[in-house]
Amino acid sequence: NAGVMQNPRHLVRRRGQEARLRCSPMKGHSHVYWYRQLPEEGLKFMVYLQKENIIDESGMPKERFSAEFPKEGPSILRIQQVVRGDSAAYFCASSGTRTDEQYFGPGTRLTVT
Amino acid sequence: AQSVAQPEDQVNVAEGNPLTVKCTYSVSGNPYLFWYVQYPNRGLQFLLKYITGDNLVKGSYGFEAEFNKSQTSFHLKKPSALVSDSALYFCAVRDPSGGSQGNLIFGKGTKLSVKP
């Protein structure tokens, strides 16, 4: 039973490029969450999605960031026109229901040069 | 506003000694509480949770946590620490009545170092 999968594990982008981070939830899970972890800090919630729906995006920056969880395929976190401040580890988590514990993927470490 | 505080950036313990990693929380309703562990360059691993019921919750790898409503605390404990327990520990809370829709609020993390 595969856990939460994220790819790529490491991503390097130059300022102004786009970054696409992918997350495949655990089998049977339909709730996906994205978190960002800056160096020496805890995780900050970004967005919560269910299949084809954004449930809560209160943690998402207003510009350049978007997320989707299509009916088929992984969830995608998209960052347009990246800046150095976007450098961080981005973690995806999934759960079977809204109140269950969340299971985390290994993260994507984004470096913006 | 919902929040989680982990007052210690680092906890140092000798192997075989008991360990405690502290966590306090602030929510408007009844909290759902979680502990996660993070090893270097890895994702978070779920350790245990408190939803309702017994205040003492047992989890993975011999860890347990005690929910104390009057002190709004959920400290993580282990009777006998192992060197392999050395990692970053995160406390998290979800307030099901607070409109958070399911996302977790994390503390800043406590680095546990267990020396032989």
Side-chain angles (χ1 to χ4, degrees), chain A residues 35-51:
Chain A
Y35 295 85
R36 176 164 62 178
Q37 184 179 33
L38 295 170
E40 308 299 323
E41 291 191 18
L43 279 73
K44 301 291 186 187
F45 167 75
M46 298 181 74
V47 62
Y48 163 35
L49 310 103
Q50 285 183 268
K51 283 288 187 182

Side-chain angles (χ1 to χ4, degrees), chain B residues 72-95:
Chain B
T72 63
S73 67
F74 190 56
H75 301 330
L76 182 70
K77 300 182 180 184
K78 187 172 182 179
S80 178
L82 300 172
V83 172
S84 57
D85 292 330
S86 299
L88 192 55
Y89 289 81
F90 289 99
C91 181
V93 67
R94 181 165 64 228
D95 177 4

Side-chain angles (χ1 to χ4, degrees), chain B residues 46-116:
Chain B
F46 169 75
L47 278 179
L48 50 79
K49 67 178 178 182
Y50 172 83
I51 304 296
T52 187
D54 282 344
N55 289 343
L56 186 63
V57 179
K58 294 191 183 296
S60 307
Y61 312 120
F63 283 93
E64 58 189 29
E66 186 167 12
F67 171 62
N68 187 318
K69 189 172 184 178
S70 62
Q71 296 185 4
T72 63
S73 67
F74 190 56
H75 301 330
L76 182 70
K77 300 182 180 184
K78 187 172 182 179
S80 178
L82 300 172
V83 172
S84 57
D85 292 330
S86 299
L88 192 55
Y89 289 81
F90 289 99
C91 181
V93 67
R94 181 165 64 228
D95 177 4
S97 65
S100 67
Q101 297 285 348
N103 58 282
L104 295 172
I105 308 298
F106 282 88
K108 287 191 172 182
T110 297
K111 184 178 179 181
L112 174 67
S113 178
V114 182
K115 301 292 186 192

Side-chain angles (χ1 to χ4, degrees), chain A residues 36-78:
Chain A
R36 176 164 62 178
Q37 184 179 33
L38 295 170
E40 308 299 323
E41 291 191 18
L43 279 73
K44 301 291 186 187
F45 167 75
M46 298 181 74
V47 62
Y48 163 35
L49 310 103
Q50 285 183 268
K51 283 288 187 182
E52 301 184 276
N53 291 305
I54 296 175
I55 308 301
D56 180 357
E57 57 181 348
S58 58
M60 286 278 269
K62 294 287 185 280
E63 298 177 345
R64 303 186 297 108
F65 285 71
S66 62
E68 62 178 13
F69 188 16
K71 187 176 181 181
E72 301 291 337
S75 175
I76 306 287
L77 179 67
R78 182 182 177 204

Side-chain angles (χ1 to χ4, degrees), chain A residues 74-110:
Chain A
S75 175
I76 306 287
L77 179 67
R78 182 182 177 204
I79 311 172
Q80 295 178 289
Q81 298 175 318
V82 296
V83 301
R84 287 221 173 100
D86 297 332
S87 295
Y90 292 82
F91 290 96
C92 167
S94 73
S95 67
T97 70
R98 186 172 69 84
T99 57
D100 278 349
E101 60 267 27
Q102 297 175 15
Y103 291 88
F104 283 77
T108 294
R109 278 157 183 82
L110 172 67

